[in-house]
């Protein structure tokens, strides 16, 4: 039996890993053994532990407990821990997801030890190298044996950068797999208001810049007043610190801050909301897959397909644009997505891994 080490550490990675772990356990239990390594990048149980429970994700065999820190310190601690695990026993392959520091650490450790690397969500580009995530994507793609592109746009990005055709696999998106598998299990969201905007902000360029964060909050408040609704705002720990230190609490008017939501709670909130506003790449997709329009609180997005489809619009931190676009898109329902595969991405990925280890 072949063995693969899956490196995860952040909310979106737990969700993506669940889709592939279920396929390994259900379809290939005699061919592939998966060991899960949790770096602890999201160290709060509200942001990590409940995802394992809800998604029936096997408990991680290895937990590094790295927690927060500067990019260099965090990545270095992860790299050291991942390397030690990879040296402790033989692995035929390593699997990484997305674009976090956990992704980068897993990719670097595998490459330096000569372990075949597989990258889920390869080829995504925001074309903004000021974003740490963009650097992580590019480096992880360079080091991977197989590049699992979720969309044709991602494939075209890789081709344009000169990757050999045999390294690129159009897999579809594992997050679509999960939406299809878990949507009926989502909690009913009885604690949520009848009319609301679901909003999240966690990117450091939004949370660490007081002017940007204030503009975003001002835009959301204006939108809520004009629409006649509330803003439900699950607060990331980094963002909570900024809120606590804000002198002008009036910016939180019409904003109901809540604890970070589990995956099923997020799906329930998506069912009940009239609009999503976020700087999260994962929530942009979850909104689209759930038939909800989205304001992208960034100047660009790696998910350009959603903007092209008219299901999302780039507002950046412009308070006027946030309010105007919220009113325009309120309760509009995008067409069903066709750009992200047919909901069988995890099966395609596991089959390709088995061919190459």
């Amino acid at each position: 039996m072949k063995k693969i080490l899956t490196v995860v550490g952040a909310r979106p990675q737990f969700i993506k890993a669940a889709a592939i772990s279920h396929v390994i356990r259900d379809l290939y239990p005699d061919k592939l053994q998966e060991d899960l390594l949790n770096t602890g990048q999201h160290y709060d149980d509200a942001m990590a532990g409940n995802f394992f429970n809800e998604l029936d994700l096997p408990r991680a065999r290895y937990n590094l407990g790295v927690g927060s820190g500067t990019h260099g310190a965090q990545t270095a601690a992860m790299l050291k821990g991942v390397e030690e695990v990879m040296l402790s026993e033989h692995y035929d392959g390593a699997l990484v997801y997305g674009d976090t520091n956990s992704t980068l650490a897993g990719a670097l450790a595998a490459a330096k030890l000569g372990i075949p690397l597989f990258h889920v969500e390869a080829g995504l580009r925001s074309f903004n190298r000021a974003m740490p995530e963009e650097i992580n994507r590019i480096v992880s793609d360079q080091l991977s044996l197989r590049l699992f592109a979720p969309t044709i746009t991602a494939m075209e990005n890789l081709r344009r950068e000169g990757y050999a055709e045999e390294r690129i696999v159009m897999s579809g998106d594992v997050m679509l797999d999960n939406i299809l598998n878990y949507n009926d299990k989502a909690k009913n969201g009885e604690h949520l208001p009848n009319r609301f905007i679901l909003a999240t902000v966690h990117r450091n360029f939004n949370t660490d810049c007081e002017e940007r964060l204030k503009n975003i909050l001002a835009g959301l408040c204006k939108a809520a007043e004009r629409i006649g609704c509330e803003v439900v705002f699950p607060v990331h720990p980094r963002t909570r610190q900024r809120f606590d230190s804000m002198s002008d609490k009036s910016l939180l008017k019409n904003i109901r801050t809540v604890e970070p939501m589990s995956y099923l709670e997020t799906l329930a909130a998506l069912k009940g909301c009239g609009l999503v506003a976020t700087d999260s790449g994962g929530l942009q997709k979850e909104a689209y897959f759930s038939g909800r329009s989205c304001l992208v609180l960034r100047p660009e997005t790696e998910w350009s397909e959603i903007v092209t489809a008219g299901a999302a619009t780039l507002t950046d931190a412009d308070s006027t644009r946030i309010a105007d676009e919220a009113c325009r898109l309120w309760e509009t329902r995008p067409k069903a997505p066709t750009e992200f595969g047919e909901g069988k991405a995890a099966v395609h990925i596991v089959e390709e891994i088995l061919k190459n280890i």
Side-chain angles (χ1 to χ4, degrees):
M1 180 184 291
K2 299 292 186 178
K3 288 178 61 176
I4 190 166
L5 182 69
T6 294
V7 179
V8 293
R11 170 196 184 273
Q13 294 169 332
F14 305 142
I15 298 168
K16 296 164 195 169
I20 290 177
S21 291
H22 280 291
V23 168
I24 292 173
R25 282 182 288 160
D26 294 345
L27 301 183
Y28 301 100
D30 300 326
K31 293 185 177 181
L32 187 61
Q33 175 186 323
E34 179 189 37
D35 288 349
L36 204 65
L37 183 154
N38 181 6
T39 65
Q41 184 170 335
H42 280 174
Y43 50 91
D44 188 310
D45 190 63
M47 298 192 73
N50 54 21
F51 288 96
F52 282 80
N53 294 331
E54 286 188 342
L55 300 171
D56 190 25
L57 188 62
R59 284 291 162 176
R61 180 173 181 183
Y62 303 100
N63 284 281
L64 302 185
V66 170
S68 62
T70 64
H71 285 287
Q74 188 183 63
T75 306
M78 291 176 181
L79 179 59
K80 180 176 182 293
V82 174
E83 182 183 61
E84 289 174 352
V85 168
M86 288 179 172
L87 288 170
S88 69
E89 56 185 294
H90 174 76
Y91 285 102
D92 300 288
L95 180 61
V96 295
Y97 295 84
D99 54 20
T100 71
N101 289 338
S102 298
T103 312
L104 179 63
L108 286 170
K112 288 178 178 292
L113 294 174
I115 297 172
L117 178 68
F118 302 90
H119 185 200
V120 174
E121 281 194 351
L124 301 186
R125 298 292 183 264
S126 68
F127 303 100
N128 177 7
R129 292 206 178 193
M131 290 180 64
E133 294 87 355
E134 186 80 348
I135 303 302
N136 294 345
R137 295 178 195 125
I138 292 169
V139 174
S140 298
D141 283 346
Q142 286 283 344
L143 299 176
S144 296
L145 174 67
R146 287 292 180 271
L147 301 156
F148 296 116
T151 65
I152 291 174
T153 301
M155 288 186 68
E156 290 174 347
N157 288 337
L158 293 168
R159 287 169 176 156
R160 190 163 48 247
E161 292 172 15
Y163 287 90
E165 197 68 29
E166 61 268 19
R167 291 176 64 188
I168 306 170
V169 179
M170 171 55 185
S171 62
D173 197 304
V174 292
M175 290 184 75
L176 178 58
D177 293 20
N178 275 334
I179 289 280
L180 297 176
N181 291 333
Y182 288 97
N183 210 28
D184 290 341
K185 300 177 183 178
K187 299 175 183 177
N188 58 24
E190 292 177 352
H191 62 291
L192 297 171
N194 291 328
R195 289 164 59 84
F196 67 97
I197 298 170
L198 178 64
T200 70
V201 176
H202 78 280
R203 302 261 179 197
N204 58 0
F205 56 78
N206 279 332
T207 60
D208 296 350
C209 176
E210 185 175 359
E211 182 179 2
R212 286 185 63 86
L213 185 57
K214 285 183 175 179
N215 286 342
I216 289 169
L217 293 174
L220 292 173
C221 282
K222 288 178 187 176
E225 288 175 357
R226 288 167 61 180
I227 293 169
C229 71
E230 284 189 79
V231 177
V232 174
F233 199 126
V235 186
H236 187 282
R238 181 192 297 125
T239 314
R240 174 69 69 183
Q241 292 176 356
R242 302 297 181 264
F243 284 0
D244 290 345
S245 64
M246 283 173 47
S247 57
D248 186 3
K249 301 299 184 184
S250 67
L251 289 169
L252 297 176
K253 180 183 177 183
N254 297 327
I255 295 179
R256 181 191 295 193
T257 59
V258 299
E259 291 301 308
M261 291 181 174
S262 71
Y263 181 60
L264 294 184
E265 287 171 338
T266 299
L267 294 187
L270 286 167
K271 287 181 178 181
C273 74
L275 183 69
V276 174
T278 187
D279 61 5
S280 163
L283 190 55
Q284 289 174 50
K285 286 192 299 177
E286 288 166 344
Y288 186 33
F289 298 159
S290 300
R292 297 297 181 270
S293 294
C294 180
L295 309 183
V296 181
L297 306 173
R298 292 163 46 187
E300 76 289 303
T301 178
E302 57 276 16
W303 298 108
S304 59
E305 298 89 349
I306 305 177
V307 176
T308 301
T313 186
L314 301 172
T315 65
D316 202 6
D318 184 325
S319 60
T320 300
R321 183 164 173 77
I322 290 169
D324 289 346
E325 290 298 293
C327 292
R328 182 178 71 86
L329 292 175
W330 175 252
E331 291 189 334
T332 61
R333 298 290 181 256
K335 294 180 180 179
T338 59
E339 306 91 340
F340 293 83
E342 75 285 6
K344 299 292 182 182
V347 173
H348 298 324
I349 288 168
V350 174
E351 289 176 348
E352 191 68 24
I353 289 172
L354 285 168
K355 293 177 186 175
N356 288 278
I357 58 175

